[in-house]
PDB file of all heavy atoms in Angstrom:
ATOM      1  N   SER A   4      10.950   2.074  -6.676  1.00 96.00           N
ATOM      2  CA  SER A   4       9.520   2.093  -7.008  1.00 96.00           C
ATOM      3  C   SER A   4       9.284   2.862  -8.327  1.00 96.00           C
ATOM      4  O   SER A   4       9.953   3.830  -8.634  1.00 96.00           O
ATOM      5  CB  SER A   4       8.641   2.706  -5.911  1.00 96.00           C
ATOM      6  OG  SER A   4       9.024   4.063  -5.628  1.00 96.00           O
ATOM      7  N   THR A   5       8.287   2.413  -9.067  1.00 96.00           N
ATOM      8  CA  THR A   5       7.902   3.068 -10.310  1.00 96.00           C
ATOM      9  C   THR A   5       6.403   3.086 -10.390  1.00 96.00           C
ATOM     10  O   THR A   5       5.736   2.498  -9.451  1.00 96.00           O
ATOM     11  CB  THR A   5       8.401   2.243 -11.516  1.00 96.00           C
ATOM     12  OG1 THR A   5       7.646   0.972 -11.552  1.00 96.00           O
ATOM     13  CG2 THR A   5       9.927   2.020 -11.509  1.00 96.00           C
ATOM     14  N   PRO A   6       5.785   3.791 -11.294  1.00 96.00           N
ATOM     15  CA  PRO A   6       4.310   3.759 -11.420  1.00 96.00           C
ATOM     16  C   PRO A   6       3.759   2.341 -11.474  1.00 96.00           C
ATOM     17  O   PRO A   6       2.760   2.059 -10.815  1.00 96.00           O
ATOM     18  CB  PRO A   6       4.025   4.514 -12.716  1.00 96.00           C
ATOM     19  CG  PRO A   6       5.159   5.502 -12.804  1.00 96.00           C
ATOM     20  CD  PRO A   6       6.347   4.754 -12.258  1.00 96.00           C
ATOM     21  N   ASP A   7       4.494   1.410 -12.159  1.00 96.00           N
ATOM     22  CA  ASP A   7       4.003   0.098 -12.233  1.00 96.00           C
ATOM     23  C   ASP A   7       4.134  -0.657 -10.888  1.00 96.00           C
ATOM     24  O   ASP A   7       3.212  -1.441 -10.537  1.00 96.00           O
ATOM     25  CB  ASP A   7       4.815  -0.696 -13.261  1.00 96.00           C
ATOM     26  CG  ASP A   7       4.419  -0.295 -14.720  1.00 96.00           C
ATOM     27  OD1 ASP A   7       3.348   0.351 -14.888  1.00 96.00           O
ATOM     28  OD2 ASP A   7       5.197  -0.517 -15.644  1.00 96.00           O
ATOM     29  N   THR A   8       5.243  -0.485 -10.202  1.00 96.00           N
ATOM     30  CA  THR A   8       5.374  -1.193  -8.915  1.00 96.00           C
ATOM     31  C   THR A   8       4.393  -0.692  -7.874  1.00 96.00           C
ATOM     32  O   THR A   8       3.919  -1.352  -7.029  1.00 96.00           O
ATOM     33  CB  THR A   8       6.841  -1.037  -8.310  1.00 96.00           C
ATOM     34  OG1 THR A   8       7.076   0.300  -8.010  1.00 96.00           O
ATOM     35  CG2 THR A   8       7.822  -1.534  -9.329  1.00 96.00           C
ATOM     36  N   LYS A   9       4.122   0.684  -8.004  1.00 96.00           N
ATOM     37  CA  LYS A   9       3.117   1.230  -7.036  1.00 96.00           C
ATOM     38  C   LYS A   9       1.764   0.644  -7.270  1.00 96.00           C
ATOM     39  O   LYS A   9       1.026   0.342  -6.322  1.00 96.00           O
ATOM     40  CB  LYS A   9       3.105   2.734  -7.178  1.00 96.00           C
ATOM     41  CG  LYS A   9       4.411   3.437  -6.771  1.00 96.00           C
ATOM     42  CD  LYS A   9       4.366   4.912  -7.063  1.00 96.00           C
ATOM     43  CE  LYS A   9       5.703   5.615  -6.774  1.00 96.00           C
ATOM     44  NZ  LYS A   9       5.681   7.046  -7.088  1.00 96.00           N
ATOM     45  N   ALA A  10       1.367   0.533  -8.536  1.00 96.00           N
ATOM     46  CA  ALA A  10       0.083  -0.055  -8.849  1.00 96.00           C
ATOM     47  C   ALA A  10       0.014  -1.504  -8.339  1.00 96.00           C
ATOM     48  O   ALA A  10      -1.006  -1.991  -7.769  1.00 96.00           O
ATOM     49  CB  ALA A  10      -0.157   0.006 -10.332  1.00 96.00           C
ATOM     50  N   ALA A  11       1.105  -2.262  -8.472  1.00 95.00           N
ATOM     51  CA  ALA A  11       1.130  -3.633  -8.077  1.00 95.00           C
ATOM     52  C   ALA A  11       1.021  -3.713  -6.530  1.00 95.00           C
ATOM     53  O   ALA A  11       0.358  -4.622  -6.023  1.00 95.00           O
ATOM     54  CB  ALA A  11       2.432  -4.346  -8.538  1.00 95.00           C
ATOM     55  N   ALA A  12       1.645  -2.784  -5.873  1.00 95.00           N
ATOM     56  CA  ALA A  12       1.624  -2.814  -4.385  1.00 95.00           C
ATOM     57  C   ALA A  12       0.310  -2.587  -3.801  1.00 95.00           C
ATOM     58  O   ALA A  12       0.001  -3.045  -2.705  1.00 95.00           O
ATOM     59  CB  ALA A  12       2.679  -1.744  -3.850  1.00 95.00           C
ATOM     60  N   ARG A  13      -0.543  -1.862  -4.537  1.00 96.00           N
ATOM     61  CA  ARG A  13      -1.871  -1.562  -4.001  1.00 96.00           C
ATOM     62  C   ARG A  13      -2.823  -2.671  -4.227  1.00 96.00           C
ATOM     63  O   ARG A  13      -4.000  -2.696  -3.691  1.00 96.00           O
ATOM     64  CB  ARG A  13      -2.426  -0.290  -4.659  1.00 96.00           C
ATOM     65  CG  ARG A  13      -1.718   0.988  -4.228  1.00 96.00           C
ATOM     66  CD  ARG A  13      -2.419   2.254  -4.762  1.00 96.00           C
ATOM     67  NE  ARG A  13      -2.211   2.473  -6.195  1.00 96.00           N
ATOM     68  CZ  ARG A  13      -1.187   3.093  -6.696  1.00 96.00           C
ATOM     69  NH1 ARG A  13      -0.388   3.763  -5.885  1.00 96.00           N
ATOM     70  NH2 ARG A  13      -1.086   3.275  -8.020  1.00 96.00           N
ATOM     71  N   ARG A  14      -2.426  -3.741  -4.975  1.00 95.00           N
ATOM     72  CA  ARG A  14      -3.240  -4.913  -5.154  1.00 95.00           C
ATOM     73  C   ARG A  14      -2.953  -5.947  -4.020  1.00 95.00           C
ATOM     74  O   ARG A  14      -1.808  -5.961  -3.508  1.00 95.00           O
ATOM     75  CB  ARG A  14      -2.989  -5.564  -6.540  1.00 95.00           C
ATOM     76  CG  ARG A  14      -3.401  -4.698  -7.667  1.00 95.00           C
ATOM     77  CD  ARG A  14      -3.465  -5.470  -8.999  1.00 95.00           C
ATOM     78  NE  ARG A  14      -2.074  -5.803  -9.440  1.00 95.00           N
ATOM     79  CZ  ARG A  14      -1.366  -5.022 -10.284  1.00 95.00           C
ATOM     80  NH1 ARG A  14      -1.807  -3.904 -10.666  1.00 95.00           N
ATOM     81  NH2 ARG A  14      -0.174  -5.454 -10.680  1.00 95.00           N
ATOM     82  N   PRO A  15      -3.922  -6.751  -3.584  1.00 95.00           N
ATOM     83  CA  PRO A  15      -3.636  -7.751  -2.581  1.00 95.00           C
ATOM     84  C   PRO A  15      -2.472  -8.609  -2.924  1.00 95.00           C
ATOM     85  O   PRO A  15      -2.376  -9.164  -4.082  1.00 95.00           O
ATOM     86  CB  PRO A  15      -4.994  -8.465  -2.461  1.00 95.00           C
ATOM     87  CG  PRO A  15      -5.969  -7.517  -3.033  1.00 95.00           C
ATOM     88  CD  PRO A  15      -5.254  -6.767  -4.079  1.00 95.00           C
ATOM     89  N   GLN A  16      -1.734  -9.042  -1.935  1.00 92.00           N
ATOM     90  CA  GLN A  16      -0.570  -9.881  -2.053  1.00 92.00           C
ATOM     91  C   GLN A  16      -0.516 -10.930  -0.911  1.00 92.00           C
ATOM     92  O   GLN A  16      -0.516 -10.449   0.232  1.00 92.00           O
ATOM     93  CB  GLN A  16       0.786  -9.200  -2.245  1.00 92.00           C
ATOM     94  CG  GLN A  16       0.896  -8.332  -3.398  1.00 92.00           C
ATOM     95  CD  GLN A  16       2.318  -7.833  -3.638  1.00 92.00           C
ATOM     96  OE1 GLN A  16       3.257  -8.393  -3.128  1.00 92.00           O
ATOM     97  NE2 GLN A  16       2.491  -6.824  -4.484  1.00 92.00           N
ATOM     98  N   GLY A  17      -0.471 -12.208  -1.235  1.00 89.00           N
ATOM     99  CA  GLY A  17      -0.226 -13.200  -0.191  1.00 89.00           C
ATOM    100  C   GLY A  17      -1.364 -13.278   0.900  1.00 89.00           C
ATOM    101  O   GLY A  17      -2.495 -13.084   0.639  1.00 89.00           O
ATOM    102  N   VAL A  18      -0.874 -13.561   2.109  1.00 92.00           N
ATOM    103  CA  VAL A  18      -1.795 -13.731   3.197  1.00 92.00           C
ATOM    104  C   VAL A  18      -1.968 -12.480   3.961  1.00 92.00           C
ATOM    105  O   VAL A  18      -1.114 -11.686   4.122  1.00 92.00           O
ATOM    106  CB  VAL A  18      -1.119 -14.841   4.165  1.00 92.00           C
ATOM    107  CG1 VAL A  18      -2.021 -14.979   5.468  1.00 92.00           C
ATOM    108  CG2 VAL A  18      -0.938 -16.159   3.496  1.00 92.00           C
ATOM    109  N   ASN A  19      -3.236 -12.231   4.348  1.00 92.00           N
ATOM    110  CA  ASN A  19      -3.598 -10.958   4.979  1.00 92.00           C
ATOM    111  C   ASN A  19      -3.549 -11.128   6.550  1.00 92.00           C
ATOM    112  O   ASN A  19      -3.175 -12.154   7.056  1.00 92.00           O
ATOM    113  CB  ASN A  19      -4.877 -10.379   4.479  1.00 92.00           C
ATOM    114  CG  ASN A  19      -6.143 -11.228   4.994  1.00 92.00           C
ATOM    115  OD1 ASN A  19      -5.997 -12.059   5.838  1.00 92.00           O
ATOM    116  ND2 ASN A  19      -7.238 -10.885   4.398  1.00 92.00           N
ATOM    117  N   VAL A  20      -4.017 -10.055   7.247  1.00 91.00           N
ATOM    118  CA  VAL A  20      -3.991  -9.994   8.715  1.00 91.00           C
ATOM    119  C   VAL A  20      -4.880 -11.066   9.381  1.00 91.00           C
ATOM    120  O   VAL A  20      -4.673 -11.370  10.556  1.00 91.00           O
ATOM    121  CB  VAL A  20      -4.275  -8.580   9.226  1.00 91.00           C
ATOM    122  CG1 VAL A  20      -3.249  -7.624   8.836  1.00 91.00           C
ATOM    123  CG2 VAL A  20      -5.619  -8.203   8.770  1.00 91.00           C
ATOM    124  N   ASP A  21      -5.784 -11.655   8.570  1.00 89.00           N
ATOM    125  CA  ASP A  21      -6.626 -12.690   9.141  1.00 89.00           C
ATOM    126  C   ASP A  21      -6.094 -14.106   8.874  1.00 89.00           C
ATOM    127  O   ASP A  21      -6.725 -15.138   9.185  1.00 89.00           O
ATOM    128  CB  ASP A  21      -8.022 -12.572   8.564  1.00 89.00           C
ATOM    129  CG  ASP A  21      -8.774 -11.311   9.063  1.00 89.00           C
ATOM    130  OD1 ASP A  21      -8.675 -11.037  10.237  1.00 89.00           O
ATOM    131  OD2 ASP A  21      -9.311 -10.589   8.197  1.00 89.00           O
ATOM    132  N   GLY A  22      -4.924 -14.158   8.252  1.00 89.00           N
ATOM    133  CA  GLY A  22      -4.300 -15.445   7.943  1.00 89.00           C
ATOM    134  C   GLY A  22      -4.929 -16.185   6.805  1.00 89.00           C
ATOM    135  O   GLY A  22      -4.652 -17.357   6.621  1.00 89.00           O
ATOM    136  N   VAL A  23      -5.561 -15.445   5.907  1.00 92.00           N
ATOM    137  CA  VAL A  23      -6.158 -15.981   4.728  1.00 92.00           C
ATOM    138  C   VAL A  23      -5.665 -15.214   3.475  1.00 92.00           C
ATOM    139  O   VAL A  23      -5.094 -14.170   3.666  1.00 92.00           O
ATOM    140  CB  VAL A  23      -7.690 -15.981   4.714  1.00 92.00           C
ATOM    141  CG1 VAL A  23      -8.256 -16.866   5.846  1.00 92.00           C
ATOM    142  CG2 VAL A  23      -8.224 -14.572   4.784  1.00 92.00           C
ATOM    143  N   VAL A  24      -5.936 -15.768   2.300  1.00 93.00           N
ATOM    144  CA  VAL A  24      -5.430 -15.072   1.126  1.00 93.00           C
ATOM    145  C   VAL A  24      -6.039 -13.679   1.001  1.00 93.00           C
ATOM    146  O   VAL A  24      -7.250 -13.491   1.079  1.00 93.00           O
ATOM    147  CB  VAL A  24      -5.715 -15.882  -0.134  1.00 93.00           C
ATOM    148  CG1 VAL A  24      -5.298 -15.117  -1.413  1.00 93.00           C
ATOM    149  CG2 VAL A  24      -5.014 -17.220  -0.107  1.00 93.00           C
ATOM    150  N   ALA A  25      -5.217 -12.648   0.868  1.00 92.00           N
ATOM    151  CA  ALA A  25      -5.669 -11.291   0.824  1.00 92.00           C
ATOM    152  C   ALA A  25      -6.599 -11.058  -0.420  1.00 92.00           C
ATOM    153  O   ALA A  25      -6.344 -11.466  -1.546  1.00 92.00           O
ATOM    154  CB  ALA A  25      -4.549 -10.308   0.724  1.00 92.00           C
ATOM    155  N   THR A  26      -7.658 -10.306  -0.160  1.00 94.00           N
ATOM    156  CA  THR A  26      -8.614  -9.946  -1.278  1.00 94.00           C
ATOM    157  C   THR A  26      -8.797  -8.450  -1.378  1.00 94.00           C
ATOM    158  O   THR A  26      -9.520  -7.953  -2.229  1.00 94.00           O
ATOM    159  CB  THR A  26      -9.969 -10.637  -1.086  1.00 94.00           C
ATOM    160  OG1 THR A  26     -10.539 -10.242   0.115  1.00 94.00           O
ATOM    161  CG2 THR A  26      -9.812 -12.113  -1.211  1.00 94.00           C
ATOM    162  N   ALA A  27      -8.280  -7.676  -0.417  1.00 96.00           N
ATOM    163  CA  ALA A  27      -8.465  -6.228  -0.390  1.00 96.00           C
ATOM    164  C   ALA A  27      -7.310  -5.549   0.339  1.00 96.00           C
ATOM    165  O   ALA A  27      -6.573  -6.118   1.116  1.00 96.00           O
ATOM    166  CB  ALA A  27      -9.766  -5.908   0.313  1.00 96.00           C
ATOM    167  N   THR A  28      -7.140  -4.248  -0.013  1.00 97.00           N
ATOM    168  CA  THR A  28      -6.121  -3.412   0.703  1.00 97.00           C
ATOM    169  C   THR A  28      -6.747  -2.083   0.940  1.00 97.00           C
ATOM    170  O   THR A  28      -7.783  -1.739   0.354  1.00 97.00           O
ATOM    171  CB  THR A  28      -4.823  -3.273  -0.165  1.00 97.00           C
ATOM    172  OG1 THR A  28      -5.194  -2.536  -1.371  1.00 97.00           O
ATOM    173  CG2 THR A  28      -4.196  -4.612  -0.481  1.00 97.00           C
ATOM    174  N   VAL A  29      -6.093  -1.260   1.803  1.00 98.00           N
ATOM    175  CA  VAL A  29      -6.498   0.092   2.101  1.00 98.00           C
ATOM    176  C   VAL A  29      -5.271   0.962   1.896  1.00 98.00           C
ATOM    177  O   VAL A  29      -4.165   0.684   2.388  1.00 98.00           O
ATOM    178  CB  VAL A  29      -7.059   0.208   3.496  1.00 98.00           C
ATOM    179  CG1 VAL A  29      -7.507   1.693   3.700  1.00 98.00           C
ATOM    180  CG2 VAL A  29      -8.159  -0.725   3.786  1.00 98.00           C
ATOM    181  N   SER A  30      -5.403   2.067   1.145  1.00 98.00           N
ATOM    182  CA  SER A  30      -4.315   2.988   0.844  1.00 98.00           C
ATOM    183  C   SER A  30      -4.085   4.009   1.962  1.00 98.00           C
ATOM    184  O   SER A  30      -5.088   4.559   2.501  1.00 98.00           O
ATOM    185  CB  SER A  30      -4.547   3.764  -0.433  1.00 98.00           C
ATOM    186  OG  SER A  30      -4.562   2.856  -1.520  1.00 98.00           O
ATOM    187  N   GLY A  31      -2.851   4.255   2.266  1.00 98.00           N
ATOM    188  CA  GLY A  31      -2.502   5.254   3.310  1.00 98.00           C
ATOM    189  C   GLY A  31      -1.157   5.931   2.977  1.00 98.00           C
ATOM    190  O   GLY A  31      -0.443   5.627   2.004  1.00 98.00           O
ATOM    191  N   ILE A  32      -0.848   6.915   3.785  1.00 98.00           N
ATOM    192  CA  ILE A  32       0.482   7.632   3.636  1.00 98.00           C
ATOM    193  C   ILE A  32       1.029   7.862   5.041  1.00 98.00           C
ATOM    194  O   ILE A  32       0.319   7.699   6.063  1.00 98.00           O
ATOM    195  CB  ILE A  32       0.358   9.057   2.949  1.00 98.00           C
ATOM    196  CG1 ILE A  32      -0.593   9.954   3.744  1.00 98.00           C
ATOM    197  CG2 ILE A  32      -0.164   8.852   1.534  1.00 98.00           C
ATOM    198  CD1 ILE A  32      -0.619  11.354   3.212  1.00 98.00           C
ATOM    199  N   ASP A  33       2.292   8.174   5.198  1.00 98.00           N
ATOM    200  CA  ASP A  33       2.895   8.673   6.435  1.00 98.00           C
ATOM    201  C   ASP A  33       3.612   9.919   6.195  1.00 98.00           C
ATOM    202  O   ASP A  33       4.183  10.168   5.108  1.00 98.00           O
ATOM    203  CB  ASP A  33       3.746   7.570   7.043  1.00 98.00           C
ATOM    204  CG  ASP A  33       4.942   7.170   6.234  1.00 98.00           C
ATOM    205  OD1 ASP A  33       6.016   7.886   6.267  1.00 98.00           O
ATOM    206  OD2 ASP A  33       4.830   6.239   5.446  1.00 98.00           O
ATOM    207  N   VAL A  34       3.591  10.850   7.199  1.00 98.00           N
ATOM    208  CA  VAL A  34       4.230  12.151   7.049  1.00 98.00           C
ATOM    209  C   VAL A  34       4.980  12.497   8.363  1.00 98.00           C
ATOM    210  O   VAL A  34       4.812  11.871   9.363  1.00 98.00           O
ATOM    211  CB  VAL A  34       3.074  13.168   6.813  1.00 98.00           C
ATOM    212  CG1 VAL A  34       2.321  13.003   5.479  1.00 98.00           C
ATOM    213  CG2 VAL A  34       2.086  13.292   8.043  1.00 98.00           C
ATOM    214  N   SER A  35       5.811  13.563   8.179  1.00 97.00           N
ATOM    215  CA  SER A  35       6.606  14.028   9.375  1.00 97.00           C
ATOM    216  C   SER A  35       6.684  15.518   9.205  1.00 97.00           C
ATOM    217  O   SER A  35       5.918  16.140   8.435  1.00 97.00           O
ATOM    218  CB  SER A  35       7.993  13.433   9.228  1.00 97.00           C
ATOM    219  OG  SER A  35       8.764  13.939   8.147  1.00 97.00           O
ATOM    220  N   GLY A  36       7.500  16.134   9.975  1.00 96.00           N
ATOM    221  CA  GLY A  36       7.659  17.576   9.920  1.00 96.00           C
ATOM    222  C   GLY A  36       8.076  18.109   8.546  1.00 96.00           C
ATOM    223  O   GLY A  36       7.824  19.260   8.253  1.00 96.00           O
ATOM    224  N   HIS A  37       8.672  17.248   7.731  1.00 94.00           N
ATOM    225  CA  HIS A  37       9.150  17.688   6.465  1.00 94.00           C
ATOM    226  C   HIS A  37       8.010  18.035   5.566  1.00 94.00           C
ATOM    227  O   HIS A  37       8.184  18.782   4.554  1.00 94.00           O
ATOM    228  CB  HIS A  37      10.055  16.566   5.830  1.00 94.00           C
ATOM    229  CG  HIS A  37      11.309  16.404   6.497  1.00 94.00           C
ATOM    230  ND1 HIS A  37      12.367  17.232   6.272  1.00 94.00           N
ATOM    231  CD2 HIS A  37      11.714  15.456   7.419  1.00 94.00           C
ATOM    232  CE1 HIS A  37      13.393  16.832   6.994  1.00 94.00           C
ATOM    233  NE2 HIS A  37      13.071  15.748   7.680  1.00 94.00           N
ATOM    234  N   GLN A  38       6.816  17.539   5.769  1.00 96.00           N
ATOM    235  CA  GLN A  38       5.615  17.832   4.920  1.00 96.00           C
ATOM    236  C   GLN A  38       4.905  19.100   5.365  1.00 96.00           C
ATOM    237  O   GLN A  38       4.009  19.585   4.670  1.00 96.00           O
ATOM    238  CB  GLN A  38       4.710  16.665   4.920  1.00 96.00           C
ATOM    239  CG  GLN A  38       5.016  15.576   3.982  1.00 96.00           C
ATOM    240  CD  GLN A  38       6.262  14.778   4.427  1.00 96.00           C
ATOM    241  OE1 GLN A  38       6.392  14.274   5.559  1.00 96.00           O
ATOM    242  NE2 GLN A  38       7.204  14.644   3.549  1.00 96.00           N
ATOM    243  N   GLY A  39       5.226  19.645   6.504  1.00 93.00           N
ATOM    244  CA  GLY A  39       4.588  20.870   6.982  1.00 93.00           C
ATOM    245  C   GLY A  39       3.092  20.656   7.169  1.00 93.00           C
ATOM    246  O   GLY A  39       2.615  19.545   7.538  1.00 93.00           O
ATOM    247  N   ASN A  40       2.320  21.711   6.933  1.00 96.00           N
ATOM    248  CA  ASN A  40       0.889  21.628   6.994  1.00 96.00           C
ATOM    249  C   ASN A  40       0.346  20.831   5.784  1.00 96.00           C
ATOM    250  O   ASN A  40       0.614  21.263   4.696  1.00 96.00           O
ATOM    251  CB  ASN A  40       0.244  22.976   7.085  1.00 96.00           C
ATOM    252  CG  ASN A  40       0.571  23.716   8.362  1.00 96.00           C
ATOM    253  OD1 ASN A  40       0.600  23.102   9.437  1.00 96.00           O
ATOM    254  ND2 ASN A  40       0.836  25.008   8.318  1.00 96.00           N
TER     255      ASN A  40
END
């Protein structure tokens, strides 16, 4: 991943969870004990 690939990933790609062409995304993260508080 690079800044460019990250920007591309945040844009809609392909078919979404409703089975139609994606028009939106929602940003998230995942964490574990390594991130602490």
Side-chain angles (χ1 to χ4, degrees):
S4 62
T5 67
D7 287 342
T8 66
K9 293 174 187 179
R13 289 189 287 270
R14 295 192 290 268
Q16 293 193 18
V18 176
N19 71 9
V20 295
D21 293 316
V23 299
V24 175
T26 59
T28 64
V29 182
S30 293
I32 62 172
D33 61 88
V34 297
S35 72
H37 291 281
Q38 279 69 52
N40 292 323

